[in-house]
Amino acid sequence: MQEGLKVGDKLPSFGAKDQNGNDFYIDSVLGKKVLVIYFYPKDDTPGCTKQACFLRDQYEEFKAIGAEVIGISGDSVPAHKKFASKYDLPFILLSDGDKSLRKLFGVKANLLGILPGRVTFVVDKKGIIQMVFNDMNAENHLEKTVEKVKSLI
């Protein structure tokens, strides 16, 4: 059983549909930008909305320093589109309905396996994972993510 990606691992190649129904491949940004890839349980729930809006509010600063944000959950493309539109989310949301990305990253479910896990990965410009933060409390991810991204620029 795979333990999951950890600090020092090279980010694997993957692709999925974004909130607009377009194919997105990580290779299009890998090696060019610092990446914040965050897995979250569900669109439009309190913790997930708070986390997404925090990242939205940091996004211009992230972009200015050469970072990209990618959110991943099992929600459908239309659900992601609605979530992104409702909260003006400027970053990529990938649909992982078959849980293949969760499996690839080794993101486990919480709460007796019922709720999809919340894990944030920060990846440097060389494609190496520099931070893995696993905590169901969305707020705990926020400042740690910003600090790590800034340290890699």
Side-chain angles (χ1 to χ4, degrees):
M1 180 118 176
Q2 184 184 349
E3 281 300 308
L5 296 175
K6 55 193 177 307
V7 171
D9 287 350
K10 185 153 182 45
L11 191 70
S13 188
F14 65 88
K17 293 273 186 209
D18 70 11
Q19 68 266 38
N20 297 311
N22 298 318
D23 290 323
F24 172 83
Y25 297 99
I26 196 65
D27 295 342
S28 67
V29 291
L30 196 60
K32 299 178 182 107
K33 299 179 177 196
V34 170
L35 302 174
V36 174
I37 299 173
Y38 78 102
F39 286 83
Y40 63 100
K42 187 150 183 54
D43 288 343
D44 220 356
T45 56
C48 298
T49 299
K50 185 173 216 160
Q51 185 176 18
C53 290
F54 176 85
L55 290 166
R56 173 201 65 203
D57 295 346
Q58 300 294 317
Y59 189 70
E60 285 307 313
E61 187 177 354
F62 278 172
K63 247 177 57 177
I65 58 177
E68 184 57 70
V69 176
I70 300 168
I72 303 172
S73 82
D75 292 295
S76 67
V77 168
H80 276 342
K81 187 162 185 66
K82 185 176 171 192
F83 184 49
S85 176
K86 183 174 180 180
Y87 295 102
D88 294 321
L89 304 179
F91 47 83
I92 300 159
L93 294 177
L94 297 179
S95 181
D96 186 31
D98 64 0
K99 298 184 175 74
S100 61
L101 297 181
R102 280 185 180 278
K103 194 171 182 180
L104 179 67
F105 279 73
V107 176
K108 298 192 181 354
N110 290 324
L111 290 181
L112 305 174
I114 298 168
L115 196 62
R118 181 186 311 278
V119 181
T120 300
F121 296 84
V122 177
V123 182
D124 69 17
K125 286 184 181 174
K126 295 182 179 121
I128 305 300
I129 296 169
Q130 297 295 327
M131 182 184 94
V132 178
F133 194 71
N134 185 348
D135 187 335
M136 280 310 282
N137 184 335
E139 286 190 51
N140 292 343
H141 288 251
L142 309 179
E143 292 304 323
K144 283 194 178 300
T145 301
V146 172
E147 287 169 23
K148 192 60 176 175
V149 167
K150 287 181 177 176
S151 80
L152 295 174
I153 302 306

